[in-house]
Amino acid sequence: MTSLLFGLIAALAWGLHDFLVRHVSQKAAAGPLMAVALAAGSAILAPLTLIEGWSGVSAPAIGLALLSGVAFSLASLGLYRAFAIGPVALVAPICGAYPLGSLALALASGSSVTARDWLAVAMVIAGIALVARQPGPQSGPRAAAILWAVLGAAGFALTFHFGQAAARLGGELPATLIARLTALALVLLALQVRPAPMAPALRHWRWLALMGALDVLALGFVIASGSRPNPEYAAVTSAIFGIVTILLAWRFLGERLGRVQGAGLALVFAGIATLAAGS
């Protein structure tokens, strides 16, 4: 049950985070936005990590955290680019499909994944898809948005897989901080290769700082589940961040939420209840 709770907290934080991504991604290039948000999150996380200490951090833990950071940079790039060019209704359910990868990785690493688990994941993903389904024609470069969203989903699955393994070996906060700093270093390196103006992103530094804090909160809870039973459950339940994002868009942007979307919400919560019954 702890992993489920951690996943739900992460979903709320990421739902608001992605709502803000939708806002700022229209106003600046993805690289500078990612750099500012990652730097802000790292600045928040660093003192907490120093308080916890680094005594238990081993070389294998650092290696896994570095891999988590590489995956996180790819996931963030996919997320920012997808929301910049595609509608929430298209992007959210694809990005929210990463629990399928999380459970597949858990199965490959020897964890016990039951038919109930797969059924619960299918219900959650189907519910997200129903909530995200909007009437009327979709505009924008759909194919590119889908590809970026798939990159985001795959990146998040790998981020959580490596991050949770690093947390079990070296502690939750150090693993999270190393992953974020790795992602930040990669983004800064990419900006050296393909420069993009920082000024447009810096104009939105307050929103980006809030996004960094929300992302640290969400990622920290998912990675923290690595030391609890069934950590893959946190990745599954955190996938409802797409529901939160769409509800915020419905409330503040006037996007429609009809009967089909209501049925999707019920299906998502039924999937979570199925996971809870098996935990």
Side-chain angles (χ1 to χ4, degrees):
M1 290 300 293
T2 302
S3 292
L4 287 171
L5 177 61
F6 282 8
L8 289 173
I9 295 172
L12 292 173
W14 265 324
L16 179 55
H17 172 276
D18 285 0
F19 179 73
L20 296 175
V21 168
R22 177 64 173 168
H23 172 68
V24 301
S25 64
Q26 311 290 320
K27 304 178 184 300
L33 291 172
M34 290 168 57
V36 177
L38 285 168
S42 299
I44 295 169
L45 188 59
L48 300 175
T49 306
L50 290 175
I51 293 173
E52 179 178 303
W54 294 76
S55 58
V57 179
S58 61
I62 293 174
L64 289 167
L66 290 173
L67 289 173
S68 179
V70 173
F72 186 55
S73 65
L74 296 175
S76 299
L77 176 61
L79 183 74
Y80 276 74
R81 291 294 298 138
F83 274 113
I85 62 178
V88 173
L90 177 67
V91 173
I94 299 173
C95 287
Y98 65 80
L100 293 176
S102 296
L103 281 185
L105 289 168
L107 182 63
S109 63
S111 297
S112 176
V113 180
T114 66
R116 183 200 297 266
D117 297 334
W118 289 112
L119 174 61
V121 170
M123 293 169 70
V124 170
I125 299 305
I128 291 171
L130 286 175
V131 174
R133 183 172 176 267
Q134 296 290 333
Q138 300 288 353
S139 60
R142 293 175 59 90
I146 289 171
L147 289 175
W148 284 115
V150 168
L151 175 64
F156 282 126
L158 290 169
T159 296
F160 302 149
H161 179 71
F162 290 125
Q164 288 173 347
R168 287 192 291 269
L169 293 176
E172 296 149 6
L173 291 180
T176 306
L177 180 59
I178 292 171
R180 292 192 69 85
L181 291 176
T182 302
L184 176 59
L186 290 173
V187 170
L188 293 176
L189 179 61
L191 287 174
Q192 293 298 314
V193 177
R194 297 187 62 180
M198 291 293 297
L202 291 173
R203 283 197 288 269
H204 303 281
W205 68 268
R206 292 179 179 85
W207 291 118
L208 291 168
L210 175 59
M211 289 163 56
L214 290 168
D215 194 37
V216 164
L217 177 67
L219 187 61
F221 269 102
V222 175
I223 289 181
S225 68
S227 58
R228 275 75 178 179
N230 300 112
E232 63 275 9
Y233 287 1
V236 172
T237 52
S238 67
I240 68 168
F241 75 84
I243 299 290
V244 178
T245 304
I246 293 163
L247 288 175
L248 288 170
W250 165 70
R251 175 64 180 83
F252 294 104
L253 300 181
E255 293 191 6
R256 182 178 174 182
L257 187 66
R259 294 180 179 178
V260 172
Q261 286 73 40
L265 282 174
L267 189 57
V268 167
F269 289 114
I272 294 173
T274 302
L275 273 180
S279 65

